[in-house]
Amino acid sequence: MKIKLFELRPDEHAALERAASALPEGYSLDATAEPLSASNIDGLAGYEAIVITNKSLLTADIVARLQQLGVRYVSSRCVGFNHIDLPAVKAAGIRVCNTTYPPYGVAEFAIMLMLMALRKCKPAIWRMQVNDYSLEGLLGRELRTMTVGVMGTGRIGCAVIDYLGGFGCKILAYDPYPAQDLAAREGVEYVGLDELYHGSDLITVHVPLMDSTRNIIDAGAIAKMRDGVVLINVSRGELVDTDALIDAVECEKVGALAMDVFEDEGGIYHENRMNDIISNRKMAYLRQFPNVIMTQHMAFYTDAAVQSMVFCGIEGLCDFAKTGHTETELV
Ligand code: COI
């Protein structure tokens, strides 16, 4: 089986070499730094399988061309799958899977953002740079005194809850498919979404982006939250209505915000755009608030996760080819 891996980053080279050398006989793998797009797709003639990640947008057109070219398997080496038109892939008869890298790096990052937001690290660090050592306005809050709402209890949400257990806070959880072991755990209560909004001092979002979850946090949802609520989003920017969020920060309904993701971050995050005119006004506006922390979609970015993304990405294809099945199949 001929495999092509797209969007190869330098930090993935070592893992890719190891994965390639462990491939069974009859498999070959080559890679490019480019995302898959209409301009390079024709080079896939003769390939049966591809590995992509979030910048390769599998639109209906791209999927149709993959089908014509004879590509049978697609593996996306990230957890989120909002860059893939799943119905189109299914209709084309192409098998598609994502990956399951360990959730701990993202969960640790979410905890870090919570603590940074609660302890006002952004203005504190700003002040240090200009010899302002004052404390005024930097009064923090302790997680153990708070109720934390966890939206989404998949692998990442569960890992966040595990870590939060060490802080002694009360935890409210929401998921349409509750995890049985969590439901039985002391200190964690599964509630409806409205109850989570009403009852939480801090809300952390670990929900996949799908049609049903796009803008799940809109003006109506924010209105149900506590005044001064702290919001953390390490999932996808489009889960939140950014205009509503800006309004909520301006009127201090949202007391602090930390986001590792942003609506329309494609082409910006993970690129050096230092000398460019960037046309994402909402991002530039939101970034300037002292109580808003933004990072460049890097919660996943640890040595352990990167290695696992490459290995699992390739493994999913091998499973498809060998057994006709992989645990991370998406449709
Ligand atoms: C994911 O795995 O879903 C991520 O968010 C990381 C990816 C964009 C590289």
Side-chain angles (χ1 to χ4, degrees):
M1 180 165 74
K2 253 180 111 179
I3 306 170
K4 179 106 186 175
L5 184 141
F6 289 88
E7 301 180 59
L8 179 68
R9 296 186 312 267
D11 56 82
E12 294 178 310
H13 283 182
L16 182 76
E17 262 174 44
R18 278 199 301 279
S21 64
L23 279 173
E25 215 165 289
Y27 286 63
S28 69
L29 171 66
D30 62 289
T32 170
E34 291 174 11
L36 171 65
S37 70
S39 60
N40 60 15
I41 195 165
D42 288 345
L44 282 176
Y47 285 85
E48 233 184 302
I50 58 171
V51 185
I52 58 165
T53 180
N54 65 317
K55 291 183 202 159
S56 298
L57 306 182
L58 258 57
T59 59
D61 286 350
I62 292 284
V63 171
R65 186 71 190 124
L66 287 177
Q67 186 187 27
Q68 286 165 356
L69 288 163
V71 172
R72 298 173 60 203
Y73 307 120
V74 174
S75 174
S76 183
R77 62 186 188 284
C78 58
V79 173
F81 46 84
N82 51 292
H83 53 296
I84 304 174
D85 185 333
L86 292 178
V89 172
K90 190 172 183 182
I94 295 174
R95 311 285 297 277
V96 63
C97 62
N98 68 348
T99 187
T100 56
Y101 54 90
Y104 310 109
V106 177
E108 285 182 14
F109 202 89
I111 299 286
M112 178 191 78
L113 290 181
M114 290 177 201
L115 296 173
M116 287 180 76
L118 292 174
R119 301 310 298 267
K120 307 204 165 113
C121 278
K122 182 174 171 182
I125 291 168
W126 274 352
R127 287 185 198 183
M128 283 298 286
Q129 311 309 312
V130 293
N131 282 348
D132 174 355
Y133 307 110
S134 62
L135 286 175
E136 202 187 336
L138 297 185
L139 193 65
R141 293 169 77 190
E142 297 178 15
L143 257 180
R144 72 183 173 85
T145 67
M146 302 175 72
T147 300
V148 176
V150 179
M151 283 174 67
T153 58
R155 294 177 80 232
I156 294 173
C158 280
V160 168
I161 289 175
D162 283 343
Y163 289 147
L164 283 173
F167 287 90
C169 47
K170 185 175 168 201
I171 300 166
L172 300 180
Y174 167 79
D175 197 295
Y177 307 99
Q180 288 317 314
D181 56 328
L182 269 188
R185 196 182 297 181
E186 208 183 320
V188 182
E189 190 187 347
Y190 268 106
V191 293
L193 206 42
D194 282 0
E195 202 178 326
L196 183 143
Y197 291 151
H198 285 300
S200 304
D201 302 299
L202 181 152
I203 295 175
T204 183
V205 187
H206 304 286
V207 171
L209 176 63
M210 301 179 290
D211 287 345
S212 58
T213 58
R214 189 173 298 276
N215 283 354
I216 188 169
I217 300 194
D218 58 8
I222 294 171
K224 292 174 191 159
M225 294 178 190
R226 293 190 169 175
D227 290 344
V229 65
V230 177
L231 281 183
I232 310 292
N233 184 2
V234 295
S235 298
R236 287 292 182 269
E238 290 79 359
L239 293 167
V240 182
D241 175 343
T242 313
D243 288 313
L245 193 58
I246 289 173
D247 289 344
V249 172
E250 281 178 339
C251 73
E252 299 179 32
K253 175 78 184 176
V254 166
L257 172 66
M259 295 194 303
D260 184 49
V261 287
F262 203 84
E263 182 187 345
D264 296 331
E265 65 179 48
I268 303 175
Y269 283 2
H270 302 180
E271 309 292 335
N272 181 352
R273 301 290 309 273
M274 222 165 132
N275 297 312
D276 299 339
I277 306 290
I278 297 177
S279 59
N280 188 323
R281 296 180 190 193
K282 294 179 199 177
M283 196 179 107
Y285 183 64
L286 208 45
R287 194 176 54 199
Q288 48 86 30
F289 290 105
N291 56 348
V292 175
I293 297 169
M294 285 168 59
T295 48
Q296 58 267 50
H297 202 147
M298 56 179 286
F300 76 98
Y301 199 50
T302 66
D303 50 359
V306 165
Q307 174 158 317
S308 180
M309 284 159 124
V310 172
F311 273 92
C312 294
I314 294 167
E315 199 176 43
L317 297 176
C318 297
D319 286 349
F320 272 144
K322 258 194 294 187
T323 67
H325 166 80
T326 183
E327 275 181 15
T328 53
E329 182 154 17
L330 282 168
V331 279

